Amino acid sequence: MLIEVDFNSEEAIYIQLCNQIIMGIATSVIQEGDSLPSVRQLADRIGVNMHTVNKAYSVLKREGYISLDKRRGAVIALDIDKMEELEEMRRQLKIVLARGCCKNISRQEVHELVDEIFDDYE
């Protein structure tokens, strides 16, 4: 899996790492049971501090995307709680959709965008 960091982005590097790993899972680039690089390996590969990678892995563990194993390191292990995830999506979508409404983005445009994004995951 290729992970790229945008050092000019306003988004924190650990969040960029989390999002790219989640996108890798969603697009089946990485799958349940796959090991991620060690904290040190990933930090060296992308040129960031080990604490940044460690923070990303901690967030991914807390959110149920990985488990941390002393022998295998960070491993994709999805902890699926669908109802909890739907509520979190609802909370985030309310904000995103409110922003879209303020910019006159129509329901149809949102539906087309959602369909287009879902097509990327299939």
Side-chain angles (χ1 to χ4, degrees), residues 47-61:
V48 299
N49 189 294
M50 288 184 358
H51 296 295
T52 302
V53 176
N54 195 46
K55 185 171 184 176
Y57 282 6
S58 293
V59 169
L60 290 167
K61 180 183 184 312

Side-chain angles (χ1 to χ4, degrees), residues 9-10 26 36-37 39 41 50-51 60 72 74-75 92 117 122:
S9 173
E10 292 184 19
L36 295 173
V39 169
Q41 288 171 333
M50 288 184 358
H51 296 295
L60 290 167
R72 294 185 60 205
V75 178
Q92 292 180 17
I117 291 169
E122 294 176 346

Side-chain angles (χ1 to χ4, degrees), residues 96-113:
V96 170
L97 292 174
R99 289 179 179 187
C101 285
C102 291
K103 301 290 184 175
N104 296 318
I105 296 173
S106 71
R107 178 185 299 253
Q108 181 63 33
E109 290 171 313
V110 169
H111 283 259
E112 288 171 6
L113 182 60

Side-chain angles (χ1 to χ4, degrees), residues 47-107:
V48 299
N49 189 294
M50 288 184 358
H51 296 295
T52 302
V53 176
N54 195 46
K55 185 171 184 176
Y57 282 6
S58 293
V59 169
L60 290 167
K61 180 183 184 312
R62 185 179 69 239
E63 293 182 358
Y65 293 100
I66 66 172
S67 66
L68 300 175
D69 182 292
K70 291 186 189 294
R71 293 166 297 184
R72 294 185 60 205
V75 178
I76 304 300
L78 301 176
D79 175 17
I80 299 176
D81 184 344
K82 187 175 183 175
M83 295 308 291
E84 186 176 310
E85 188 62 28
L86 279 171
E87 283 305 311
E88 178 61 17
M89 286 178 75
R90 177 184 307 278
R91 187 187 68 71
Q92 292 180 17
L93 277 170
K94 280 184 175 184
I95 296 166
V96 170
L97 292 174
R99 289 179 179 187
C101 285
C102 291
K103 301 290 184 175
N104 296 318
I105 296 173
S106 71
R107 178 185 299 253

